Amino acid sequence: MIFHIGYLILVTATVLAAFGMIAGFVGGRQRNVKLTLSSYHAVYAMAGLVALAAAILWYALLTDRFEVAYVWNHSERALPVFYKFSALWGGQAGSLLFWLLILSGFSVAAAFFNRRRHWAIMPYVNAVMLGTSLFFAVLLVFAANPFELASFVPQDGMGLNPLLQNYWMVLHPVMLYIGYVGLAVPFAFAVGALLSKRLDNQWVRTVRRWTLIPWMFLSAGILMGSQWAYMELGWGGYWAWDPVENASFLPWLTATAFLHSIVVQEQRGILKVWNAALIWMTYFLVILGTFTTRSGVLESVHSFARSDVGPFFLVFMVIILFGFLWLLFKRLPLLRDEQAIESYTSREAAFMANNWLFAGIAFATLWGTFFPMFSEILTGDRISVAAPFFNKVNGPLFLLLILLMGAAPLLGWRRTSRQAFRKQFTWPLLVGAVTGVAIWLLYDAGYPAIGLAACAFAAATIVQEYVRGVQARRITSGESVPAAMGNLWRRNGRRYGGYLVHLGIVLIAAAVIGNEFFQQNTNVTLANGESVTLGRYEIAYTGLEPNRKVNHVEYGARLMIFDQESGKTLGSILPRRNIYDKTPEQPTSEVGLRMTLIEDTYVVLNGWETGGSTATFTMYINPLTAWMWIGGLVLVLGTLIASWPHPGRRRSEAADSVAYAVGSAGD
Amino acid sequence: MADLSDIRSETQDAPNTPDAQAPAPAPGMVVVWRAIFVGILLLFVVLLAWRLWDTNRSEHRASGMAPPFTFTTFEGETISLDDLQGQGVVVNFWASWCDPCRDEAALLEQAWRREKDNGIVFIGLDYLDQEPAAKAYLAEFGITYPNGPDLRSEAARRYGIKGVPETFFINSAGEIAQTVIGPIVNEAQMESYLAEIRP
């Protein structure tokens, strides 16, 4: 009964979303206050209905109501409560409902925080948000009903995919969803601005924080996904250019480009068309990514079980693509650039280069992701482009991007004088050069020397900016160093938070370079007591330990690590293999890891014989990997500082307008 | 921080002259460029739609003509189904983590040793696996017929397998004569299928 009500709620939500969307569009066009208010109310009511539907599905999952097909397929009695809770987004229908839930949350936030501002734009924003909600509600009602009942009442569920029974795996889709879904808000604002012809800088200013926060979640989600792949999949890497990884990476690239190029529009009144196009592409890539992971058009380890959602997505994508394009073409005369770029050594030129690079990386990645599909259609042969393609094309582009990231903050708007060049670039270039030469001499490796030199250069510019900022504060107000730092963040968070984000990216880049060029690995079968030498370590196998858990058996192989030179014990690691009761043919491996700031020792247990008298391992030494996760934390911290609202904002409007970093001056 | 004020005044002083330096291109060209742009997007969507339709169609397990595939064995030899025309081919999907696969491994190897001179080729495609574990598995059962990883599960998708093991018996004309879901249980069953594809 209650599940029928759940379905009815979804049907009601569909109708409501359609009504609200129309109310928003018509209300905005006719400047009708009643209809506009209706669109607000529809947003709030929609969120209530969706939350109720989600609550019903959660109730079904937590109370083991296996008569609901979704619960039956994605849960089981013995599943720990935490995973029962997260099973809501473990399967197709549930995750679509979860999408809708987050989307409703964002719609409410966007409507509520702007309820007294942007009166011309807001009805359209509500309409676009509700339009997106309508699409997902239609999917749930017509193609993937989460409340569908099984024809009988099963005794127990089939269990959650073991690969998903991991904390990172539970968290990273949530982060990705928040990031993905949140990017609908800036898109809605762009549509609103175009429709209402309010094409001044206002929408751009407002939208910055609405982009920055989802961007942060998307970044964190991608990194957590990498972490999951690293910890759980056991192939020694963190990124495989898999279609689904690319699906999350593509909107990240265009959103990052957007965050940078809106600064130029704000400052110089140029790139207006480009900005509108970028956020449109971002939103399209979000929907495309959701589509590709759910329709089976691309082959990936991540794909959901196929269902009938594909055609719906296609129609929606056509509407987004051509609807927006039509609108953009119609408004082109209103989007003329106010000025032109004057010099190649100006900051806006650097921003332009940044945008071209991001667009280039996005295009190459899109091409590589869809190439197998195209090649199969055109030649009948499915030619996959593997990681080497992406690395070869995107590697140099990222290198340029990091160099630019170092250089751009040192350039002035409009042009940079020769004097300023000398003052700004001497130290960072020196640091970069020394690092490069040192690495080249130490390891005799060209590419990593260049890459790490670029990283050092970019890091040095950030440090230089901080040192100068702190010094300036100490001179003018005599503050202590920590207080000066705090004040930099508080008063000019956009700029100095942005630098922190850059620092995070530099750290991640360094980790990638370390892994790409200095990874060592070996495959060994060790008898109990035997050992192997890898890198600077000697690793000895000391026996297999089985361990019974609620819904699986855990087999751990105990290994001791010694320093090869001194023979000192450094620690022990325990790579494991979990055999699940429900799906014994699909064991998961739990990597054994010893993490240090210099390098990770990473061991996978592949198998064993006769109760563990011998065991087979794959072992890796992954240099600098820890910095990837540290860089991620720095990035999140920087984004928070850059987007933190502070009371002094209005007063420092002028300072804002020169701030380099991407934050928000929305309110 | 010293240059902040300069920049501010610069921004304020900048003359607000729309399209002063960007002359509008000829209207004819604009239409052409727009058409090209829209055309590319349209093509992309059409390809996606085509692919979606194709995927839904190939949802089912392969039957009739055997879908072609090429793979590289663990020893590095490249084998294509097309090159095996005129011979009977047994394609077995397996994985080292798959317990039921172990039930038929020895049987497959015996059949291969017996039949390789009768014009029947055995091929093992390793589905979603790790290479060291797969090699250990092959060594464990002393398997000598060509085996290799099914990279990106290409063959698995084309044959529409639902799990492992699945075995396809392909006759000398390239048609799938028999499909076995799950392990082949005994010699008699194996023999009856082989009889259908012996050239």
Side-chain angles (χ1 to χ4, degrees), chain A residues 19-20 22-28 30-41 123:
Chain A
F19 161 77
I22 294 167
F25 278 130
V26 176
Q30 299 179 346
R31 306 191 178 230
N32 182 323
V33 177
K34 266 192 176 165
L35 280 177
T36 302
L37 280 176
S38 267
S39 75
Y40 277 90
H41 298 152

Side-chain angles (χ1 to χ4, degrees), chain A residues 473-556:
Chain A
R473 287 207 70 84
R474 279 170 67 81
I475 289 166
T476 51
S477 57
E479 288 164 348
S480 67
V481 174
M485 283 271 268
N487 275 323
L488 285 183
W489 285 336
R490 213 155 52 80
R491 286 164 186 269
N492 207 344
R494 274 182 64 179
R495 178 176 184 149
Y496 290 95
Y499 287 148
L500 271 192
V501 175
H502 281 186
L503 188 66
I505 298 284
V506 168
L507 294 177
I508 292 168
V512 170
I513 293 168
N515 265 275
E516 198 61 35
F517 293 98
F518 297 110
Q519 189 185 56
Q520 291 173 284
N521 66 324
T522 181
N523 279 309
V524 281
T525 303
L526 296 176
N528 200 339
E530 224 175 357
S531 72
V532 64
T533 307
L534 180 64
R536 303 186 289 120
Y537 308 106
E538 184 151 343
I539 302 168
Y541 170 52
T542 61
L544 194 73
E545 308 165 1
N547 196 350
R548 177 75 225 177
K549 292 281 160 96
V550 186
N551 58 352
H552 64 273
V553 185
E554 203 177 76
Y555 294 90

Side-chain angles (χ1 to χ4, degrees), chain A residues 28-334:
Chain A
R29 207 182 157 77
Q30 299 179 346
R31 306 191 178 230
N32 182 323
V33 177
K34 266 192 176 165
L35 280 177
T36 302
L37 280 176
S38 267
S39 75
Y40 277 90
H41 298 152
V43 166
Y44 300 144
M46 179 79 189
L49 287 178
V50 173
L52 205 58
I56 292 175
L57 190 56
W58 260 316
Y59 161 77
L61 282 164
L62 292 172
T63 55
D64 297 326
R65 301 290 293 267
F66 298 119
E67 69 263 38
V68 179
Y70 185 81
V71 180
W72 177 38
N73 282 320
H74 297 99
S75 182
E76 63 178 313
R77 283 185 201 283
L79 201 65
V81 173
F82 177 70
Y83 293 118
K84 281 183 184 171
F85 181 78
S86 69
L88 186 82
W89 57 87
Q92 174 86 280
S95 70
L96 287 172
L97 180 60
F98 191 58
W99 233 99
L100 184 57
L101 181 68
I102 298 173
L103 185 65
S104 306
F106 269 106
S107 309
V108 166
F112 183 77
F113 287 116
N114 293 298
R115 66 193 182 284
R116 295 205 185 85
R117 301 190 301 132
H118 303 301
W119 262 93
I121 297 181
M122 279 315 288
Y124 297 120
V125 172
N126 289 339
V128 173
M129 296 304 282
L130 284 170
T132 311
S133 295
L134 173 64
F135 166 67
F136 281 95
V138 164
L139 282 184
L140 289 169
V141 169
F142 293 104
N145 174 15
F147 299 111
E148 198 172 282
L149 296 177
S151 49
F152 61 106
V153 181
Q155 279 307 299
D156 196 0
M158 319 238 273
L160 187 68
N161 183 342
L163 276 178
L164 303 181
Q165 295 187 32
N166 169 286
Y167 287 94
W168 290 113
M169 190 57 211
V170 167
L171 280 178
H172 107 265
V174 177
M175 294 287 155
L176 281 178
Y177 282 147
I178 296 177
Y180 250 48
V181 179
L183 288 170
V185 180
F187 174 73
F189 267 94
V191 173
L194 286 170
L195 277 173
S196 64
K197 303 188 189 170
R198 295 291 170 96
L199 290 161
D200 50 11
N201 276 343
Q202 242 195 358
W203 78 272
V204 170
R205 269 176 216 271
T206 304
V207 118
R208 201 183 305 100
R209 189 182 293 146
W210 288 104
T211 312
L212 206 50
I213 296 295
W215 180 87
M216 179 184 78
F217 279 103
L218 191 56
S219 310
I222 292 172
L223 280 166
M224 282 183 179
S226 306
Q227 179 120 15
W228 169 73
Y230 187 68
M231 302 288 192
E232 195 76 356
L233 294 182
W235 50 279
Y238 45 86
W239 189 262
W241 298 104
D242 174 275
V244 171
E245 290 171 350
N246 293 348
S248 64
F249 192 46
L250 282 166
W252 185 88
L253 290 168
T254 49
T256 313
F258 178 73
L259 279 170
H260 288 89
S261 69
I262 51 178
V263 179
V264 185
Q265 175 169 352
E266 204 184 344
Q267 292 300 314
R268 307 278 297 146
I270 51 181
L271 302 183
K272 288 178 179 174
V273 180
W274 176 239
N275 281 329
L278 264 182
I279 197 61
W280 162 62
M281 278 190 259
T282 305
Y283 182 69
F284 171 71
L285 288 171
V286 163
I287 301 296
L288 179 70
T290 316
F291 165 72
T292 50
T293 49
R294 286 150 197 282
S295 62
V297 293
L298 293 175
E299 290 159 13
S300 160
V301 286
H302 294 71
S303 297
F304 282 85
R306 255 174 245 152
S307 70
D308 315 324
V309 298
F312 291 89
F313 267 99
L314 270 182
V315 171
F316 189 54
M317 284 194 291
V318 167
I319 296 173
I320 297 168
L321 274 182
F322 299 106
F324 187 86
L325 210 54
W326 171 79
L327 181 62
L328 187 65
F329 284 160
K330 253 186 94 161
R331 293 288 187 264
L332 271 186
L334 300 174

Side-chain angles (χ1 to χ4, degrees), chain A residues 299 382-384, chain B residues 70 150-159:
Chain A
E299 290 159 13
R382 190 176 189 84
I383 305 164
S384 291
Chain B
T70 304
D150 181 20
L151 292 177
R152 296 190 164 241
S153 302
E154 273 179 42
R157 294 267 178 156
R158 283 195 191 174
Y159 280 76

Side-chain angles (χ1 to χ4, degrees), chain A residues 518-596:
Chain A
F518 297 110
Q519 189 185 56
Q520 291 173 284
N521 66 324
T522 181
N523 279 309
V524 281
T525 303
L526 296 176
N528 200 339
E530 224 175 357
S531 72
V532 64
T533 307
L534 180 64
R536 303 186 289 120
Y537 308 106
E538 184 151 343
I539 302 168
Y541 170 52
T542 61
L544 194 73
E545 308 165 1
N547 196 350
R548 177 75 225 177
K549 292 281 160 96
V550 186
N551 58 352
H552 64 273
V553 185
E554 203 177 76
Y555 294 90
R558 178 70 64 186
L559 292 156
M560 303 295 291
I561 308 183
F562 306 97
D563 185 343
Q564 201 216 327
E565 269 171 30
S566 67
K568 224 169 59 184
T569 312
L570 296 173
S572 85
I573 45 182
L574 189 73
R576 295 186 307 239
R577 227 168 156 74
N578 302 329
I579 314 278
Y580 286 81
D581 304 342
K582 286 279 162 64
T583 46
E585 76 286 357
Q586 204 182 351
T588 63
S589 70
E590 207 81 39
V591 169
L593 193 61
R594 178 174 176 272
M595 196 177 268
T596 67

